[in-house]
Amino acid sequence: DLSMKVDLFFEELIKNIIKYGYDDNDEHKIQLSIQSIDNSMICKIIDDGHYFNPLTVPEPDLTVDVDEREIGGLGILLIKSLANRCEYLREDNKNIFTAEFTTEE
């Protein structure tokens, strides 16, 4: 269960960073880290893309029919619902997104 949450976190955010964060042909770096503390995994992604705080994205309206719903936002909503804690910082022209996932006891 914990590994599924961590996989989803990295997959969703890295995909969004690559798709929306870079609109040039320059070389870019995405740094990943995972720290295990007791029954928690703290996952961090640092990228040098455009400023983007996923925590400020409006949540999609799930009451609207799927055919009429705006595209996007579901991955971030899922990450926020699975994580015990999410944090975003913009520092030195880098996006830093951290999520903590805890095992159920």
Side-chain angles (χ1 to χ4, degrees):
D1 185 46
L2 188 58
S3 66
M4 183 271 307
K5 292 176 184 179
V6 170
D7 285 347
L8 179 65
F9 168 77
F10 283 117
E11 179 182 340
E12 187 62 33
L13 286 181
I14 291 170
K15 179 180 66 174
N16 283 328
I17 291 166
I18 292 169
K19 187 172 184 177
Y20 301 111
Y22 305 127
D23 60 359
D24 56 36
N25 293 321
D26 295 344
E27 184 174 308
H28 294 278
K29 293 183 180 181
I30 301 173
Q31 297 172 272
L32 314 174
S33 69
I34 302 174
Q35 184 178 13
S36 177
I37 301 175
D38 298 324
N39 63 336
S40 296
M41 298 290 276
I42 300 171
C43 304
K44 185 180 287 190
I45 297 179
I46 302 172
D47 71 86
D48 61 352
H50 299 293
Y51 166 85
F52 178 65
N53 181 350
L55 300 178
T56 62
V57 172
E59 291 188 1
D61 184 355
L62 301 179
T63 63
V64 175
D65 187 77
V66 118
D67 294 329
E68 298 173 15
R69 192 178 305 156
E70 294 285 327
I71 295 175
L74 290 175
I76 293 170
L77 176 65
L78 186 58
I79 288 169
K80 289 181 351 184
S81 70
L82 293 174
N84 297 82
R85 176 180 66 88
C86 291
E87 179 180 277
Y88 171 84
L89 297 169
R90 178 77 177 178
E91 192 172 90
D92 297 325
N93 290 321
K94 294 183 179 153
N95 298 298
I96 305 167
F97 192 88
T98 305
E100 180 177 358
F101 302 94
T102 304
T103 58
E104 303 296 323
E105 290 191 45

